[in-house]
Amino acid sequence: VFERAREGSRNREAYKEEMYEGSLAGGVLVLVEALTDNPRRTAPKVRHLFKEGGGALGAAGSAAWAFQRRGLLRVQGISSDNEALIEAALEAGAQDVEEDSAAHLEADDGPCAAVFCEPNELAAVRATLSARGFEASEAAILFVPSTTAEPAAGLREAAESALLALEEMEDVEGIWHNLAP
């Protein structure tokens, strides 16, 4: 029994959450959330992609200052101007209800409302909305940029290419940036 327990603990991979911050061409600020079993492998790859994108990997806080951490609940099939949804969301402690055009484009379920709240209130807001008949199709904690960057065409292409390469990394769980749509 002890041998199996020891062997199991040796084979179990230990994953670690890492947050990388930096900038890309044209002043695009980026946050990269990774879940990795080997930060010594992941960090150099991220650094390389930042450099290829015309920027640099920065220290903690070098890009995070430009983002606000928010909770998001997506409610499919409901318009953001639905009074019952707005009332329920505000009573639950939500900060805002907006039309979620990105989610609407991805799904054929009609309009989609985005309900924003403080990250620590996400579960409570979701429970209140559910009790009032509004089921969230997605719940997430994200980083919303306070400003956007609009680099010139050549710089924009370099930044977009780096963002795409970062998204394709196996260890990357999430990417947030302030590149204007």
Side-chain angles (χ1 to χ4, degrees), residues 2-98:
F2 291 112
E3 286 299 316
R4 279 190 302 199
R6 232 181 319 176
E7 190 64 34
S9 67
R10 276 190 224 131
N11 292 335
R12 207 175 303 142
E13 294 180 281
Y15 284 88
K16 184 177 180 188
E17 287 183 24
E18 295 285 329
M19 183 68 86
Y20 301 101
E21 303 179 33
S23 62
L24 297 173
V28 175
L29 298 175
V30 182
L31 300 176
V32 178
E33 182 181 42
L35 184 63
T36 180
D37 62 336
N38 186 351
R40 290 182 181 162
R41 177 194 68 232
T42 305
K45 284 183 182 178
V46 171
R47 182 178 295 109
H48 173 74
L49 292 174
F50 270 90
K51 188 175 180 180
E52 276 191 349
L57 184 63
S62 64
W65 63 269
F67 295 85
Q68 178 186 13
R69 195 166 173 247
R70 295 179 85 182
L72 165 69
L73 293 165
R74 284 196 168 107
V75 182
Q76 293 289 135
I78 301 288
S79 175
S80 63
D81 62 358
N82 182 298
E83 289 184 32
L85 172 64
I86 294 170
E87 182 181 321
L90 294 177
E91 284 178 13
Q95 298 168 323
D96 198 8
V97 178
E98 299 175 4

Side-chain angles (χ1 to χ4, degrees), residues 113-128:
V115 178
F116 292 99
C117 62
E118 289 293 329
N120 61 341
E121 296 290 324
L122 191 63
V125 172
R126 185 176 198 169
T128 300

Side-chain angles (χ1 to χ4, degrees), residues 147-166:
T147 62
T148 56
E150 297 185 33
L155 298 176
R156 182 180 189 84
E157 289 173 11
E160 287 175 341
S161 177
L163 289 171
L164 183 60
L166 285 164

